[in-house]
Every structure is written in C-alpha cells, then in structure tokens.
C-alpha cells in the first residue's frame, strides 16, 4: 500500500512540473475541533456503563499543497501537513480537564472539482482525498502534568478528507482557497495497555481551511 502511494505521488509531481502553467503550489492553515468517534470502553464502573465519553478539543494544522489542473474543472491534489488531533475526556468530572493530544504528519492524495464562476469570479470547489497519517507524538495531559503514550498508541493511520468551499482568484494565476473540511481516520488510535482494556477511538477533525496557491508561468 505504501509503495503504491509513493509511486502515485512521484508520478503526480513529475507530471505537474512538466507543464507548469497547470501547476500550483502553496500553503494552508487549518483551525477546527477534533475528537474520537466509534469510541466506547466496555464494562467500566459496572455493567451497563461505557466510558470514557469524549468531547471536542481545539485542533490546528498547517501544511503545503500542490495542485495540477487536468482541465478547467478537475485537478489532482497532493497535501502534506502537520495536524493536531485528540479529544477531551471525562469533562466535568475533575477540577482539571484531561485530554489526549496526538500530533500527525499527513500525506493526502486526491481529486478536486470547481464549478463555473458564482461570486465575483470566485468558483465553488470540492475536494476528496485519501492518505496516510504518521503519528509524531502522543500524550495524555491535564492542568499540571502529561504522560507520554508512545507505547499505548498506534503509529500509523489512514484517513479520508473532504473539502467544500471557494476558489478566489488573486493576482493573475494565484488562488485563495477557503473551505470547510472533515477528516476521518480508519483505525483506532489506541494500543498497548489502553487497547487491552478495551479502549477504542478513531480520529475525527472538522474545521475551516485557509490556503493560498501560487500559479506558475509555463516554461518555453
């Protein structure tokens, strides 16, 4: 799976750089909330109780994006990003608010679609991507201490990403992108003792993405 993804990424970059008038590259910033879904811990504090109950926490991320226009409507996309994930748990049970903080490096390959102009030359845009998420660090924190969870977390995840928003033209070939996004992981994040105790939870991040893509002039 990793080898196939690497080959597709190399092919994408090679094709993009050979026709630079169709190639854009830039940066983006994500702000939103993260939590875990599909998360239940069975048989805790007696039969019939399922703990913990997860709440959302603030999530930030930033990265680099590459886009290759197939035509006026469709494009291939490649995103690499640092993304915070995690969740608050046992909210309201203690004087402090404990949370899981998991940070990942994401590599996402996808396809984008944009409509005709809708608002002052801006176009609606849609993007779906799939990719690989590599855990950089993980910890359980509260107000006064943190616990490293390197031995109780799964290092690798795969996820699906969906965006919907606006492409706003700027300075000839440049584009400002504003979009709402949702990213869902496929694997439980917990391993080790936590997994042995029946704890599960898959990554979910929802928020706003702001990006700027620089266009290039085709080489003669």
């Amino acid at each position: 799976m990793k080898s196939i993804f690497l080959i597709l990424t190399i092919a994408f970059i090679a094709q993009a750089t050979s026709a630079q008038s169709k190639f854009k590259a830039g940066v983006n910033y994500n702000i939103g909330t993260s939590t875990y879904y599909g998360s239940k811990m069975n048989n805790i504090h007696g039969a019939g109780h399922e703990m913990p109950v997860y709440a959302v926490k603030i999530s930030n991320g930033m990265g680099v994006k590459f886009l290759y226009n197939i035509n006026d409507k469709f494009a291939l996309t490649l995103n690499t990003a640092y993304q915070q994930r995690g969740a608050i748990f046992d909210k309201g049970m203690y004087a402090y608010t404990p949370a899981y903080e998991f940070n990942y490096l994401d590599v996402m390959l996808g396809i984008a679609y944009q409509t005709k102009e809708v608002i002052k030359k801006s176009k609606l845009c849609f993007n779906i991507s799939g990719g690989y998420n590599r855990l950089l660090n993980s910890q359980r924190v509260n107000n006064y201490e943190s616990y490293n969870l390197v031995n109780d977390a799964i290092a690798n995840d795969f996820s699906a990403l969906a965006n919907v928003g606006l492409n706003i033209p700027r300075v000839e070939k440049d584009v400002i992108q504003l979009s709402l996004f949702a990213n869902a992981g496929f694997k439980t994040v917990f391993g080790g003792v936590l997994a042995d105790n029946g704890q599960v939870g898959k990554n979910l991040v929802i928020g706003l993405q702001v990006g700027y893509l620089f266009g290039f002039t085709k080489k003669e």
Side-chain angles (χ1 to χ4, degrees):
M1 179 66 182
K2 293 181 182 179
S3 298
I4 294 174
F5 187 79
L6 180 61
I7 291 171
L8 290 174
T9 301
I10 294 172
F12 170 84
I13 295 174
Q15 186 180 24
T17 54
S18 68
Q20 293 202 11
S21 64
K22 297 183 178 181
F23 177 66
K24 288 181 171 60
V27 295
N28 54 55
Y29 173 73
N30 300 334
I31 177 68
T33 58
S34 69
T35 190
Y36 296 136
Y37 74 96
S39 50
K40 294 181 179 179
M41 182 184 289
N42 297 315
N43 299 321
I44 302 297
H45 305 308
H49 294 275
E50 296 178 336
M51 294 287 287
V53 176
Y54 295 115
V56 299
K57 65 181 291 292
I58 298 298
S59 173
N60 294 279
M62 61 184 66
V64 178
K65 183 174 184 177
F66 303 93
L67 182 146
Y68 177 74
N69 289 302
I70 300 172
N71 53 41
D72 290 339
K73 291 186 177 181
F74 289 94
L76 299 176
T77 61
L78 174 65
N79 292 273
T80 60
Y82 166 84
Q83 181 65 52
Q84 297 176 341
R85 291 181 171 89
I88 290 173
F89 64 98
D90 292 343
K91 187 175 182 179
M93 294 180 64
Y94 306 100
Y96 54 84
T97 302
Y100 291 113
E101 295 184 353
F102 284 42
N103 299 315
Y104 291 81
L105 176 65
D106 296 353
V107 181
M108 309 291 292
L109 184 64
I111 188 166
Y113 172 82
Q114 66 176 4
T115 65
K116 297 180 179 180
E117 296 176 4
V118 291
I119 305 173
K120 294 183 178 180
K121 296 185 178 181
S122 299
K123 301 177 180 180
L124 288 175
C125 59
F126 305 87
N127 182 212
I128 53 173
S129 304
Y132 172 67
N133 316 119
R134 175 68 182 185
L135 184 66
L136 301 177
N137 55 70
S138 56
Q139 55 187 357
R140 181 173 62 239
V141 302
N142 53 45
N143 285 357
Y144 57 89
E145 62 184 348
S146 62
Y147 299 92
N148 192 318
L149 294 180
V150 65
N151 295 321
D152 297 305
I154 302 299
N156 304 301
D157 194 7
F158 297 91
S159 66
L161 172 70
N163 295 67
V164 57
L166 281 176
N167 282 342
I168 306 170
R170 179 75 176 174
V171 189
E172 296 182 359
K173 297 182 180 296
D174 295 357
V175 174
I176 296 173
Q177 291 190 320
L178 301 176
S179 64
L180 300 175
F181 75 92
N183 184 290
F186 297 150
K187 298 175 62 177
T188 182
V189 303
F190 299 111
V193 174
L194 295 177
D196 292 341
N197 288 336
Q199 190 166 342
V200 296
K202 300 176 183 179
N203 284 310
L204 177 63
V205 184
I206 298 174
L208 172 69
Q209 182 177 97
V210 180
Y212 194 101
L213 295 177
F214 297 91
F216 296 89
T217 302
K218 185 175 181 180
K219 293 182 178 180
E220 298 297 336

